[in-house]
Amino acid sequence: MNLAHLFEAGMLVCFGFSWPINVVKAYRARTAKSTSLAFIFLIITGYVAGITAKIINQQFNYVLAVYFLNLVIVFSNVVVYFRNSALDKKAEAEIKPSAKTMIKKSNIVYSHEEHLVTEETEKIVKEYSVTLLGGTYDKEIPAEKLAADFELDFNLFNRSTFALSLKNAKEYFKKYVASLKSEGIILHLGTEDKELFRTNPAQFDSLYLELISAIKNENPKCRLALVSVFESNVDTLSTSMNNHIKAIAESEQAEFVNIRNAKLWNPIAVKSSIEFAQNMGLKVKKPLFDVAKILYSYAAEHVVEAEPLVNIAV
């Protein structure tokens, strides 16, 4: 027995032993994303070169048979690669409709009603969403209808609830809002917390910051807009609260929306700017301040300001 041929065969067996394992792993993985077809063809080219050298030298022995065996095993990786590529394309085709046009059947929970209502519905899932989180006054704003009227290219949800207070807003957010994964959230809180602010403004600030922290823990990139509480010309308490809310907005890099100007806002101009952007082929995230204009200009005309109520949000 030629020792040179024996060692050469041993080398081929060692090199080729991993390929059957690789075939099995690739077959089970059902994806070609981690496989390099160029690398496989490079190995095949090497084996073909070795076989060609053996034939030219007329070395027709068991070593040549090992070359052919390895070549067949490596080539089977090519077969599995194309099979997995087909599976990848099939999987992509199943989710190919863009997020803007895909129809999804899901359970929607309306937490802003007196009791939770679960309803089976079909909705168009869009790229991102903005959620309004406020109290009794905000609950009456028909966010989804306004989104349709203004032809917004994102979902606009209203998850406000009766008499929502900062004392339980964080827990309420975790239960009923966090799952929406909203890209933007408009907060209108404080109406139920005037007595808290009167006696302990530091705690008011702390609770507001805790809520913002909870939101950012869910989505660090979530945009925020903080809406002022209602104030009259002589309501120094509300004015002071709004100064605190504005300071919190600045510290947390959020937008501050002064609801006092709601009756002066022109939602038609906002709609025109949206249509202009769409006609120009622009797909930009609408500033939360503009979204707030749409919501609260409507509320200024159609929703009666409510007095603070006993909180029932939990």
Side-chain angles (χ1 to χ4, degrees):
M1 179 179 292
N2 190 317
L3 286 178
H5 291 165
L6 182 61
F7 283 116
E8 184 179 5
M11 176 198 71
L12 292 171
V13 170
C14 290
F15 284 163
F17 186 77
S18 62
W19 287 104
I21 299 175
N22 191 68
V23 171
V24 174
K25 289 176 64 177
Y27 185 85
R28 290 176 177 175
R30 298 177 66 83
T31 178
K33 292 180 180 180
S34 61
T35 304
S36 172
L37 186 61
F39 177 75
I40 296 175
F41 276 123
L42 184 63
I43 299 297
I44 289 175
T45 302
Y47 281 126
V48 170
I51 291 171
T52 303
K54 289 291 183 182
I55 293 175
I56 291 175
N57 292 327
Q58 296 185 350
Q59 295 178 343
F60 301 104
N61 51 35
Y62 61 89
V63 178
L64 182 61
V66 177
Y67 269 107
F68 274 110
L69 178 61
N70 282 6
L71 179 63
V72 171
I73 295 173
V74 174
F75 193 82
S76 65
N77 277 268
V78 177
V79 176
V80 174
Y81 174 87
F82 284 109
R83 173 258 194 182
N84 286 349
S85 294
L87 291 175
D88 287 338
K89 290 180 180 178
K90 182 180 178 181
E92 290 175 4
E94 290 176 352
I95 62 173
K96 190 64 176 179
S98 68
K100 288 185 178 181
T101 59
M102 181 173 61
I103 302 298
K104 179 182 179 181
K105 202 168 188 180
S106 60
N107 288 328
I108 304 299
V109 177
Y110 295 93
S111 55
H112 54 288
E113 299 297 343
E114 292 185 55
H115 55 279
L116 298 182
V117 179
T118 302
E119 132 183 323
E120 194 76 14
T121 186
E122 286 190 346
K123 298 190 68 64
I124 297 179
V125 180
K126 300 180 180 179
E127 271 188 302
Y128 67 97
S129 65
V130 171
T131 297
L132 171 62
L133 177 57
T136 306
Y137 177 82
D138 312 88
K139 175 188 173 296
E140 303 302 322
I141 301 175
E144 293 191 14
K145 179 181 182 301
L146 291 172
D149 291 343
F150 282 81
E151 299 177 349
L152 300 180
D153 60 351
F154 54 89
N155 285 316
L156 184 55
F157 300 115
N158 187 350
R159 289 299 180 266
S160 304
T161 193
F162 287 105
L164 185 63
S165 166
L166 283 172
K167 293 180 180 179
N168 44 40
K170 183 173 73 171
E171 190 65 27
Y172 182 83
F173 166 79
K174 290 180 178 180
K175 286 183 178 180
Y176 306 121
V177 182
S179 60
L180 295 174
K181 304 296 182 183
S182 294
E183 186 275 337
I185 295 179
I186 299 173
L187 297 173
H188 186 205
L189 299 167
T191 302
E192 305 300 323
D193 301 284
K194 290 187 176 182
E195 187 58 34
L196 169 66
F197 185 85
R198 189 194 313 275
T199 58
N200 194 341
Q203 187 181 8
F204 175 91
D205 294 347
S206 177
L207 290 173
Y208 217 132
L209 289 170
E210 285 181 15
L211 172 61
I212 292 175
S213 178
I215 293 172
K216 290 185 175 180
N217 284 338
E218 290 290 335
N219 180 7
K221 295 183 179 180
C222 182
R223 297 184 297 152
L224 292 173
L226 278 53
V227 182
S228 67
V229 298
F230 291 104
E231 58 179 311
S232 64
N233 293 331
V234 293
D235 188 357
T236 56
L237 177 65
S238 296
T239 301
S240 181
M241 289 179 71
N242 288 335
N243 288 336
H244 277 244
I245 294 172
K246 185 176 181 180
I248 292 172
E250 291 174 353
S251 69
E252 297 300 313
Q253 298 182 325
E255 294 188 58
F256 176 72
V257 181
N258 193 339
I259 201 171
R260 181 174 57 186
N261 302 320
K263 291 184 178 181
L264 303 177
W265 288 331
N266 183 359
I268 303 302
V270 175
K271 184 175 183 180
S272 298
S273 67
I274 295 171
E275 291 175 346
F276 175 77
Q278 292 174 341
N279 291 335
M280 291 293 292
L282 300 177
K283 295 180 180 179
V284 296
K285 295 176 181 177
K286 202 65 189 163
L288 293 182
F289 187 81
D290 284 349
V291 180
K293 280 185 176 181
I294 294 172
L295 296 173
Y296 289 105
S297 60
Y298 172 92
E301 295 293 330
H302 300 90
V303 180
V304 178
E305 179 185 351
E307 292 296 323
L309 302 174
V310 177
N311 189 282
I312 60 172
V314 294

